[in-house]
Structures are given as C-alpha cells and as structure tokens.
Amino acid sequence: MDSKLPPDQAIEDTRRWLERAVIGLNLCPFAKAVHKKGQVRYVVSEATQPLQLHADLVRELEFLRDSDPEAVDTTLLIHPHVLDDFLDYNEFLEVADETVADLDLEGDIQVASFHPAFQFEGTAPDDITNYTNRSPYPTLHLLREASIDRAVAAFPEASKIFEANMETLDRLGIEGWRKLFAEP
C-alpha cells in the first residue's frame, strides 16, 4: 500500500465507495440513514503492523462503546498501510473478534469486514459476488448490535439482502463496478 496516502484521501475514497456502491447499489439498505444523519465515523489508522492496528481497534471499540449512538452509530476503521494481503487480513479478523470479547462487548458491537481483495470461500478471486465486501482499503466496520436489530426489524426480509446483492452485482458486472468509480 502507498505509505504516502494522506488520511483525508483514504476517507474521501471510502466515502465515495460507501455512497456509490454500498448506498448507491443498495448493498446495505441500513447504511443510507446513518450516512445521511452523519453518524458514520471515519478513522484512518496509520498502523503499519498488526499490533499497532490492534491498539487502534481497541481505542475505536472503546470510543464507540462510550459514544452516544445518536452522534456516532458506526465506525469505519480504515487501515491502508497494514494487512494488504487478504489472507493476513482474514486471520486478523479472529483477533478483532477476540478483542470484542476481551472488552466484554459481545452482543453490543460486532466487526464486519471489507477489503480490496475480499473473497468469499469457494469463489474465484474475480467472482463479481466478492465485490459486495470490496472496499478501497482494508477496513474494519464496527457496528452497534442494537442498530442492526432496529434495522432488521424495519426491514423484515433482511435475510434476502445477500441474494439481492448477488443479483445486483451479476447484472452490473465487473465493468459496471469499475464505471461506478471512473470519475472522482
């Protein structure tokens, strides 16, 4: 990854991805409301080693735990300088889940994963379905479980989101995905 990447650029690129893909393609029907209300916290980790990222993760989990949900509902912890390799990133997710447990936040906060090379088990690297979880930079998404519960209650067919996303991306194709981000 580019060690010279300014944090503002990482946030701008991530916000563009959120607006054009996650919200624009309705990959997550719950994202639009928190984005519109300004309740998404964007944090760029300067970590270059997993241990440094772990310290940032702890800090952000504690921040989210202690914050008013009306002010900060969710955090995107963007880490462009560490865990560029998807397999290394995937292994770190176990550490992230253990950290949630160690902080006694199970049932309160969960970690979702996004990565530029995200790949679902059993798929080819270029399978379009992987793009549902492909972000510009490796990103840990810290979500309040209460918010997820409210969103699922408001969207009774939440279990069908995954299937709808696959259909959307199949229709869009990789060229369509690239066109989403062709212009700044």
Side-chain angles (χ1 to χ4, degrees):
M1 291 264 162
D2 180 6
S3 62
K4 305 277 188 211
L5 179 74
D8 289 351
Q9 184 66 51
I11 290 172
E12 180 181 323
D13 293 344
T14 300
R15 185 174 285 128
R16 182 180 306 116
W17 163 75
L18 179 74
E19 291 171 349
R20 293 182 183 185
V22 177
I23 295 171
L25 296 175
N26 202 32
L27 298 178
C28 176
F30 319 127
K32 185 176 183 177
V34 293
H35 175 67
K36 189 174 179 178
K37 293 177 188 175
Q39 296 171 314
V40 178
R41 175 176 164 88
Y42 297 86
V43 177
V44 178
S45 171
E46 295 295 328
T48 58
Q49 298 296 321
L51 196 55
Q52 296 166 322
L53 177 61
H54 182 261
D56 290 340
L57 174 62
V58 168
R59 192 170 26 260
E60 287 307 313
L61 285 166
E62 290 172 341
F63 180 90
L64 192 59
R65 174 197 66 204
D66 298 339
S67 296
D68 177 358
E70 291 300 314
V72 180
D73 189 71
T74 191
T75 299
L76 293 172
L77 178 56
I78 307 157
H79 45 98
H81 312 296
V82 65
L83 301 176
D84 182 42
D85 180 87
F86 180 66
L87 295 178
D88 293 340
Y89 171 84
N90 210 33
E91 285 182 23
F92 186 84
L93 293 176
E94 290 178 32
V95 173
D97 288 340
E98 289 170 7
T99 302
V100 169
D102 290 347
L103 293 172
D104 200 27
L105 294 173
E106 285 182 308
D108 294 321
I109 298 175
Q110 66 177 256
V111 179
S113 59
F114 297 95
H115 192 280
F118 189 94
Q119 184 175 349
F120 288 108
E121 187 175 344
T123 65
D126 61 348
D127 189 314
I128 189 64
T129 60
N130 294 318
Y131 286 71
T132 62
N133 287 58
R134 288 206 176 161
S135 56
Y137 309 101
T139 302
L140 298 170
H141 183 191
L142 314 180
L143 302 111
R144 295 177 189 274
E145 296 222 6
S147 298
I148 296 168
D149 293 343
R150 282 192 306 276
V152 169
F155 194 85
E157 298 194 4
S159 62
K160 294 185 179 181
I161 293 170
F162 183 76
E163 292 172 18
N165 288 349
M166 298 304 109
E167 291 171 14
T168 297
L169 289 173
D170 280 339
R171 281 192 308 273
L172 185 68
I174 291 175
E175 268 313 302
W177 178 268
R178 289 185 183 128
K179 287 179 185 178
L180 281 176
F181 304 100
E183 59 187 61

